[in-house]
C-alpha cells in the first residue's frame, strides 16, 4: 500500500458543514462530566444508597460501576468516536438496520428534556426564594400548594401555573440560546465555566454541612451497612439503574458527545476520568445531604431513620427548605444548594437536547442553529403545557418512571444487540479503542458487555411485569396506561418510523480511521481507506 499522508482525515459528517469539534480533551471531559453530574447525583444517589443497605450499597454500586458503567461508557464512546455521528447516524453505520435504536435514544431524550427542565425551573425559583426564606414557615405547604398549586386529583389539568411557567420559559430560552451557539461556543463554554463553578458551590455547601451539629449522626445513618441486602435482587437492580442514569448511559448522549472528538483522541482514559469524577461527586453529595439530615434530626430530637421525605423531589424542595429555615446563615446555604441544582441540571439538560438536535442535523442537514431553535421551541411548548400545570408533578413522576426504568434498559439492550450481535462489531470496536487510547479495554470487554445485556434483559422483564401488574404510585389505571405505557409507545414509534425518512445525503460509507485493514480486520465492502495508520506513532 502506498504511503499516504499520516494526518487523520478531516471530520466527515452527514451535514453540509464540517463536523463540529471540542477544543480539546479537557473540554470534552468537562462536558461529559456536565452531562453525568446532575440531579441524579444530588438527590437520587443519597436516597438510593440509604434505602438499599446504606454502606452495604457501596458493594453493588461499585460492582455495577466496574462491570456495567465503565464498559458501556467505553462502548458508547467507541461507537461515537469511530462512526462519528449522532445516535441515529452512528447506529446506522454500526448496522444498516440499527438506525431505529438511535431514534429510540433520541426520543427518550426528548421525553426527559420536557420534565428535567421543570425541575431546573423549580430550582431556579427556589434559588430566588432562598434570599427571603419564603418557604420557611411551612415548606411542604409552600411547595405543593402555594408554588406548584398541585391539584388533588390525578388527572390532566389545563390550568397553567405562572410561578412555574415563567422560570420554565426562562430555562428553555437559555437552553436554546446556548445550543444555538454550537458545540464549541455554546455547550463547551457552559461546561467549562459551569462545572468548576458547581464544584466550588457544592464544595462550600458540603463543608458547611459537615460542620453542622449532628452531621456525624447523619453520615453514620448513611453508611451503617446492612449486608443482608446483598442477596436482594432489587438492590442490585437499583445499583445498576443508578449507575446508568448517573452516567447518562443508553440515552445516546455519550455517543453524540464522543462524535465531536478529534480522530486522534485518547478515548478510554477520559472516559475513566468521567466515570470516577461522577462517582466522587455522588459520594460528596451523599455526605453533604446526610450531614444536613443529621442536623435536622438533632434539631427535631429524633433519629435520622425517623425522618420522612428524604429522597427525590421532597428531599430537595421540602426537607432541605425546612433545614435551611432552621440553620444560622440559612439564606446563603439555601442559595448555594439551589444554585448547585440549577448548574448540575443545566449542564445535563444541554447534553440531552444536543443529542436530539444533533440527530436532526445529521438526518436532514439542518445547521446547528436551526436545529437548536426548532427542537427547543417544540420541546418548550410541550414542556410548559405538560409540566407547568396543576397536575405537572403527577405527570413528571409517571413519565419519569416509564422512560427511565424501562426505556433506557431497552435502549441499552438495543444498542448492544446492534453493535455486538447483529453488527458483529465487538472486535472492531475493541481494536479501535486499543489503537487510539492509552488504556486498552482488553479482549474480555465485549464478553462482559454480552453478560451485561443478559442482566439488562432480566431487569427489563422484571420491571415491566411489576409495572403491568402493580401499576405505579397508586395512580389510576387509565392514567398509567396513557402516560406511562403511552410514553413507551411514543419512544418505540419514533424508533420504528424515523428510519423510513430519507437521509439528506449518502451516509452509509463513512471514512473510518483507523480503517478495518489498519486494525488487522477484513475490509468492509464500500468503506473508503484513506491513509496509513502507524501503530505506536498514531496512538496518542
Ligand atoms: N446523568 C444525569 C443525572 O445524574 O442527573 C441525568 C441525565 C442526563 C440522564 C442526561 C440522561 C441524560 F441523557
Amino acid at each position: 500500500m502506498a504511503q499516504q499522508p499520516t494526518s487523520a482525515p478531516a471530520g466527515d459528517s452527514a451535514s453540509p458543514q464540517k463536523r463540529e469539534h471540542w477544543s480539546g480533551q479537557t473540554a470534552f471531559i468537562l462536558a461529559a462530566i456536565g452531562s453525568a453530574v446532575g440531579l441524579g447525583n444530588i438527590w437520587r444517589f443519597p436516597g438510593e444508597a440509604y434505602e438499599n443497605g446504606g454502606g452495604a450499597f457501596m458493594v453493588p454500586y461499585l460492582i455495577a460501576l466496574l462491570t456495567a458503567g465503565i464498559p458501556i461508557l467505553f462502548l458508547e464512546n467507541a461507537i461515537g468516536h469511530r462512526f462519528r455521528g449522532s445516535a441515529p447516524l452512528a447506529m446506522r453505520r454500526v448496522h444498516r438496520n440499527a438506525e431505529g435504536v438511535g431514534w429510540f435514544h433520541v426520543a427518550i431524550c426528548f421525553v426527559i428534556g420536557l420534565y428535567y427542565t421543570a425541575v431546573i425551573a423549580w430550582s431556579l425559583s427556589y434559588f430566588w426564594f432562598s434570599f427571603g426564606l419564603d418557604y420557611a414557615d411551612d415548606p411542604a405547604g409552600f411547595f405543593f400548594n402555594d408554588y406548584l398549586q398541585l391539584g388533588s386529583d390525578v388527572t390532566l389539568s389545563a390550568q397553567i401555573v405562572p410561578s412555574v411557567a415563567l422560570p420554565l420559559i426562562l430555562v428553555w430560552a437559555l437552553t436554546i440560546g446556548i445550543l444555538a451557539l454550537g458545540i464549541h461556543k455554546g455547550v463547551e463554554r457552559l461546561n467549562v465555566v459551569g462545572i468548576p463553578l458547581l464544584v466550588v458551590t457544592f464544595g462550600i455547601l458540603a463543608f458547611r454541612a459537615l460542620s453542622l451539629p449532628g452531621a456525624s449522626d447523619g453520615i453514620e445513618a448513611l453508611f451503617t451497612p446492612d449486608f443482608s441486602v446483598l442477596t436482594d435482587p432489587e438492590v442490585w437492580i437499583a445499583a445498576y439503574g443508578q449507575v446508568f442514569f448517573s452516567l447518562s448511559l443508553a440515552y445516546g448522549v455519550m455517543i453524540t458527545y464522543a462524535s465531536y472528538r478529534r480522530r486522534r483522541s485518547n478515548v478510554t482514559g477520559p472516559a475513566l476520568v468521567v466515570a470516577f469524577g461522577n462517582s466522587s461527586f455522588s459520594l460528596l453529595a451523599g455526605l453533604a445531604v446526610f450531614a444536613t439530615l443529621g442536623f435536622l434530626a438533632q434539631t427535631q430530637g429524633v433519629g435520622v431513620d425517623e425522618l420522612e421525605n428524604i429522597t427525590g423531589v421532597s428531599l430537595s424542595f421540602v426537607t432541605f427548605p425546612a433545614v435551611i429555615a432552621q440553620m444560622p446563615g440559612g439564606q446563603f446555604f439555601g442559595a448555594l444548594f439551589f444554585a448547585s441544582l440549577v448548574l448540575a441540571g443545566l449542564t445535563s439538560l444541554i447534553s440531552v437536547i444536543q443529542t436530539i438536535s444533533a440527530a436532526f442535523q445529521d438526518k436532514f442537514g439542518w445547521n446547528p442553529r436551526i436545529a437548536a431553535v426548532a427542537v427547543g421551541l417544540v420541546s418548550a411548548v410541550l414542556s410548559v403545557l405538560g409540566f407547568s400545570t396543576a397536575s405537572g408533578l403527577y405527570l413528571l413522576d409517571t413519565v419519569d418512571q416509564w422512560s427511565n426504568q424501562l426505556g433506557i434498559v431497552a435502549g441499552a439492550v438495543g444498542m448492544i444487540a446492534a453493535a455486538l450481535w447483529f453488527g458483529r462489531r465487538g472486535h472492531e470496536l475493541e481494536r479501535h479503542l486499543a489503537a487510539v487510547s492509552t488504556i486498552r479495554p482488553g479482549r474480555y470487554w465485549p464478553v462482559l458487555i454480552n453478560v451485561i445485556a443478559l442482566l439488562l434483559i432480566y431487569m427489563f422483564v422484571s420491571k415491566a411485569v411489576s409495572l403491568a401488574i402493580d401499576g405505579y404510585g397508586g395512580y389510576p389505571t387509565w392514567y398509567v396506561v396513557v402516560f406511562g405505557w403511552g410514553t413507551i409507545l411514543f419512544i418505540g414509534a419514533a424508533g420504528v418510523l424515523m428510519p423510513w425518512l430519507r437521509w439528506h445525503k449518502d451516509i452509509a460509507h463513512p471514512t473510518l480511521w483507523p480503517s478495518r485493514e489498519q486494525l488487522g480486520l477484513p475490509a468492509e465492502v464500500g468503506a473508503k481507506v484513506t491513509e496509513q495508520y502507524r501503530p505506536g506513532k498514531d496512538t496518542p
Side-chain angles (χ1 to χ4, degrees):
M1 191 187 304
Q3 189 70 27
Q4 285 162 2
T6 50
S7 62
D12 68 298
S13 159
S15 52
Q17 311 85 16
K18 212 172 146 243
R19 195 161 194 85
E20 296 180 275
H21 281 294
W22 303 112
S23 63
Q25 177 161 297
T26 312
F28 164 75
I29 291 177
L30 286 173
I33 289 185
S35 174
V37 171
L39 305 173
N41 301 61
I42 298 178
W43 82 23
R44 211 180 130 156
F45 175 80
E48 290 279 308
Y50 179 71
E51 283 181 351
N52 291 295
F57 184 69
M58 298 305 140
V59 175
Y61 177 79
L62 272 180
I63 292 181
L65 179 69
L66 297 176
T67 60
I70 292 172
I72 303 275
L73 188 59
F74 278 5
L75 178 67
E76 289 205 25
N77 271 281
I79 292 176
H81 189 244
R82 182 158 184 78
F83 297 102
R84 308 188 72 73
S86 57
L89 175 58
M91 292 310 297
R92 167 74 177 72
R93 287 172 170 172
V94 163
H95 185 279
R96 84 195 122 75
N97 294 331
E99 183 187 334
V101 175
W103 287 110
F104 192 91
H105 291 166
V106 169
I108 296 183
C109 284
F110 178 71
V111 170
I112 292 183
L114 300 182
Y115 66 82
Y116 209 80
T117 19
V119 183
I120 301 172
W122 305 343
S123 308
L124 198 60
S125 303
Y126 267 63
F127 172 71
W128 179 251
F129 298 152
S130 292
F131 294 100
L133 292 182
D134 302 15
Y135 42 64
D137 292 340
D138 171 15
F142 183 85
F143 180 58
F144 293 114
N145 304 332
D146 301 349
Y147 180 64
L148 292 184
Q149 300 180 20
L150 189 65
S152 50
D153 291 336
V154 179
T155 173
L156 204 58
S157 163
Q159 182 203 337
I160 301 261
V161 179
S163 53
V164 179
L166 281 175
L168 187 53
I169 292 170
L170 198 67
V171 172
W172 276 111
L174 203 62
T175 305
I176 294 173
I178 293 168
L179 287 180
L181 288 172
I183 284 293
H184 182 51
K185 290 201 185 129
V187 178
E188 182 174 319
R189 272 196 200 158
L190 170 78
N191 285 290
V192 167
V193 176
I195 291 304
L197 195 62
L198 172 64
V199 171
V200 172
T201 51
F202 205 80
I204 299 175
L205 184 110
F207 187 74
R208 177 79 184 96
L210 289 170
S211 55
L212 287 169
S216 56
D217 298 342
I219 291 173
E220 203 182 312
L222 173 63
F223 287 116
T224 303
D226 169 8
F227 288 108
S228 67
V229 299
L230 296 183
T231 51
D232 180 357
E234 288 290 318
V235 170
W236 288 85
I237 292 185
Y240 278 84
Q242 172 62 24
V243 164
F244 267 75
F245 182 76
S246 192
L247 281 175
S248 311
L249 295 180
Y251 296 85
V253 168
M254 292 298 172
I255 295 182
T256 309
Y257 270 15
S259 77
Y260 299 120
R261 299 208 63 199
R262 292 183 190 279
R263 290 193 189 259
R264 212 174 289 269
S265 296
N266 182 357
V267 178
T268 53
L272 288 179
V273 174
V274 172
F276 288 113
N278 178 59
S279 291
S280 308
F281 195 96
S282 288
L283 211 58
L284 182 70
L287 289 174
V289 165
F290 272 81
T292 313
L293 293 176
F295 166 74
L296 180 68
Q298 196 182 68
T299 50
Q300 295 184 353
V302 297
V304 176
D305 54 346
E306 290 167 75
L307 293 174
E308 285 175 352
N309 294 330
I310 57 178
T311 54
V313 172
S314 298
L315 169 74
S316 297
F317 295 97
V318 177
T319 309
F320 254 77
V323 180
I324 290 161
Q326 286 178 21
M327 65 192 281
Q331 278 124 319
F332 181 60
F333 191 80
L336 277 182
F337 179 71
F338 290 109
S340 300
L341 279 184
V342 171
L343 276 173
L346 206 57
T347 50
S348 294
L349 174 72
I350 286 289
S351 72
V352 172
I353 311 297
Q354 176 65 30
T355 298
I356 312 170
S357 162
F360 283 90
Q361 291 171 40
D362 284 346
K363 179 97 183 180
F364 300 116
W366 296 355
N367 79 29
R369 193 163 303 157
I370 292 181
V373 173
V375 169
L377 280 181
V378 171
S379 305
V381 169
L382 290 174
S383 168
V384 170
L385 290 180
F387 297 98
S388 65
T389 64
S391 59
L393 185 59
Y394 302 129
L395 190 61
L396 189 154
D397 195 20
T398 311
V399 172
D400 175 60
Q401 185 66 209
W402 265 261
S403 56
N404 273 320
Q405 302 281 332
L406 277 188
I408 66 152
V409 185
V413 174
M415 176 173 68
I416 296 172
L420 268 54
W421 303 344
F422 297 104
R424 301 195 164 274
R425 301 272 188 189
H427 196 41
E428 177 180 347
L429 290 169
E430 188 244 310
R431 288 286 179 98
H432 178 91
L433 288 180
V436 300
S437 306
T438 44
I439 301 167
R440 293 160 188 237
R443 267 184 301 150
Y444 294 108
W445 170 66
V447 180
L448 192 57
I449 292 182
N450 283 318
V451 178
I452 301 162
L454 300 181
L455 186 83
L456 289 170
I457 292 173
Y458 166 75
M459 274 171 71
F460 181 86
V461 173
S462 73
K463 188 74 201 176
V465 168
S466 107
L467 285 174
I469 294 175
D470 305 334
Y472 174 68
Y475 293 138
T477 308
W478 74 266
Y479 194 82
V480 159
V481 168
V482 173
F483 298 109
W485 295 106
T487 300
I488 294 291
L489 191 70
F490 164 77
I491 296 169
V496 172
L497 299 177
M498 289 303 287
W500 289 89
L501 300 180
R502 280 171 65 94
W503 288 88
H504 77 284
K505 69 174 217 185
D506 174 30
I507 46 86
H509 305 295
T511 315
L512 298 181
W513 185 86
S515 70
R516 284 177 57 94
E517 294 97 311
Q518 287 160 352
L519 293 177
L521 300 165
E524 187 160 15
V525 188
K528 295 179 216 152
V529 179
T530 47
E531 64 181 286
Q532 197 68 9
Y533 164 75
R534 304 169 307 175
K537 281 205 158 167
D538 283 337
T539 305

